[in-house]
Amino acid sequence: MSDDDNCSLTNVIKTVWGGNAPSSEVFLRWSQPIIFSEVEPAALVQLTGGPCGVLASLQAHIIRFHYFGNVNQSNVLIYAIHYMLTNAASTNRAVYVCLPTALLNEEMEFDKLHSSIRLEKIDVRQPMDLRKYDSVFKGPFGMMLFIYGLVASRGVSLIQQERFGCKYETSEGLIESVLGHGSIALTLLCLIGRALEHTFDGQRTLEGMTFNGIEDQPLIGYLSYLEVLRYVEIGSFLKNPLYPIWLLATESHITVLFSKTKNIPGQDFQMIRARGVFNLHDTESRGFVSVDELKLMLDELNLESDQSYVEFLIKRLDPDDLGIILRQPFLCEVCPRYATLVCQLHSN
């Protein structure tokens, strides 16, 4: 796909909506402006069901800039949008914004809207470079225009590759066109800048197919009630973000959970990585791995992996010679802080 095709409005619309245009009712639900509440000036308003993942991601970044970046309330939306566009873009400054070519009104239908907008590539050096587009985001279809700009900034081909792999052909959109649900890929594109379908740590391989998860610690986290029901797996990276802000998902809605203080006790980065590496090798979530995996796990954590040391460690972690290594002893061995916080609690 050429660069022009990769960011053409036609392909962006197809990536968002899939092969079929949405119903009028679904399209209307996603056609709202990005506006703040009159009651709580820092809170975004969701007018209808459907776009909660996008709005919650925007809200989370607004909270981050407001409470931890000391950004003035009047500018937090522009700072959040600037971060999300540049974080998704393949370059640091070149992003796309979707602009009206004619006066937009709330009565416009799907085809009429798309004949009245265009994508424009701009060079943004500072968040306030987007200030002149403030009325676009807060006007009719503001959220939809933001989503189109975000998808174009990431690139259609890269989004397709992140979701399904480069050889996978699909007409499945980021928004489900029949019921109007936003996909997890759209939420993660807004949240971390990557259109991923999975929330576990690292990569998983199943019958020759590779599935991409979260590769590093994000600024903002993601939790889901559905994990309790074992419908999804949320990895350690998303559970332990750099800021105490999380998107919280249920069966039908996504909201934001946060603290105003950053000094919340949590796990250090080495502990998060160790959990992720163990889970990557524990492909069936059994809580143990084969001793044959130990050297690979140490290599992936950039720890000592000399064969004599590996053999010594196997004797420590598998004293009964069962051929397996349990999760907790492994984490205690490679993360001294984990041993202090957790393992000693079970020393009796």
Side-chain angles (χ1 to χ4, degrees):
M1 183 178 290
S2 67
D3 290 342
D4 290 339
D5 291 339
N6 195 37
C7 299
S8 73
L9 183 58
T10 299
N11 285 330
V12 166
I13 294 169
K14 183 178 179 181
T15 300
V16 173
W17 294 105
N20 301 311
S23 67
S24 298
E25 188 268 337
V26 168
F27 181 64
L28 180 63
R29 282 161 41 195
W30 283 83
S31 300
Q32 73 162 71
I34 302 174
I35 54 176
F36 287 99
S37 168
E38 295 180 359
V39 178
E40 173 50 65
L44 294 176
V45 175
Q46 181 176 342
L47 302 177
T48 57
C52 54
V54 176
L55 284 173
S57 299
L58 262 171
Q59 183 71 75
H61 286 296
I62 286 171
I63 290 169
R64 178 171 67 87
F65 281 112
H66 183 61
Y67 288 111
F68 303 105
N70 296 318
V71 176
N72 187 280
Q73 173 62 38
S74 61
N75 295 326
V76 286
L77 177 60
I78 291 299
Y79 270 72
I81 289 175
H82 172 268
Y83 173 80
M84 293 166 75
L85 290 175
T86 54
N87 189 46
S90 55
T91 63
N92 290 331
R93 295 204 307 263
V95 301
Y96 284 85
V97 291
C98 195
L99 304 174
T101 58
L103 186 64
L104 304 183
N105 65 75
E106 298 174 357
E107 304 301 322
M108 281 185 167
E109 296 183 352
F110 188 81
D111 292 334
K112 180 63 176 177
L113 171 68
H114 294 132
S115 65
S116 304
I117 59 176
R118 63 182 173 87
L119 285 168
E120 180 176 315
K121 189 175 184 179
I122 60 173
D123 186 48
V124 287
R125 298 177 183 272
Q126 300 294 333
M128 297 311 292
D129 292 343
L130 291 175
R131 186 67 173 178
K132 60 184 177 182
Y133 305 113
D134 188 61
S135 61
V136 173
F137 300 125
K138 293 181 179 179
F141 304 99
M143 186 173 61
M144 186 54 58
L145 300 184
F146 164 69
I147 292 172
Y148 290 159
L150 186 69
V151 170
S153 297
R154 188 62 178 165
V156 169
S157 295
L158 186 53
I159 288 176
Q160 192 79 349
Q161 180 177 343
E162 287 174 338
R163 294 187 73 192
F164 305 112
C166 58
K167 296 182 180 180
Y168 198 100
E169 296 294 333
T170 180
S171 60
E172 183 179 341
L174 292 168
I175 300 173
E176 201 278 317
S177 60
V178 176
L179 299 177
H181 302 311
S183 66
I184 182 62
L186 179 58
T187 299
L188 290 179
L189 177 61
C190 294
L191 193 65
I192 66 172
R194 298 186 65 200
L196 300 171
E197 291 285 341
H198 307 286
T199 53
F200 49 69
D201 292 338
Q203 291 183 332
R204 300 285 176 86
T205 300
L206 178 64
E207 296 183 355
M209 299 177 64
T210 300
F211 301 92
N212 295 317
I214 310 300
E215 296 290 348
D216 49 27
Q217 189 178 22
L219 297 178
I220 295 169
Y222 181 90
L223 304 171
S224 177
Y225 169 73
L226 298 179
E227 186 176 30
V228 178
L229 305 176
R230 300 186 67 84
Y231 290 151
V232 298
E233 177 186 342
I234 312 297
S236 296
F237 287 136
L238 285 174
K239 289 177 178 175
N240 297 274
L242 290 173
Y243 292 89
I245 309 170
W246 294 264
L247 266 61
L248 181 60
T250 65
E251 304 99 317
S252 58
H253 189 54
I254 300 177
T255 188
V256 182
L257 176 70
F258 72 99
S259 169
K260 294 181 182 180
T261 175
K262 194 176 179 182
N263 298 322
I264 294 180
Q267 298 174 318
D268 57 31
F269 188 67
Q270 176 68 9
M271 191 185 303
I272 296 171
R273 281 194 55 81
R275 282 183 180 273
V277 167
F278 189 94
N279 291 339
L280 181 63
H281 290 266
D282 181 16
T283 56
E284 297 182 11
S285 301
R286 298 173 298 182
F288 63 87
V289 298
S290 167
V291 294
D292 298 333
E293 303 288 326
L294 180 59
K295 181 173 174 31
L296 291 174
M297 293 194 294
L298 294 175
D299 285 336
E300 291 169 19
L301 290 170
N302 296 318
L303 298 175
E304 175 63 48
S305 60
D306 180 78
Q307 186 59 39
S308 59
Y309 176 70
V310 172
E311 293 173 357
F312 164 77
L313 206 55
I314 288 175
K315 292 180 181 179
R316 281 173 56 91
L317 299 177
D318 182 25
D320 297 323
D321 199 25
L322 299 176
I324 61 172
I325 296 173
L326 300 177
R327 177 187 287 109
Q328 184 168 303
F330 172 77
L331 294 177
C332 288
E333 188 67 40
V334 301
C335 301
R337 185 166 181 262
Y338 183 91
T340 301
L341 294 177
V342 179
C343 296
Q344 289 186 4
L345 297 177
H346 300 277
S347 59
N348 61 339

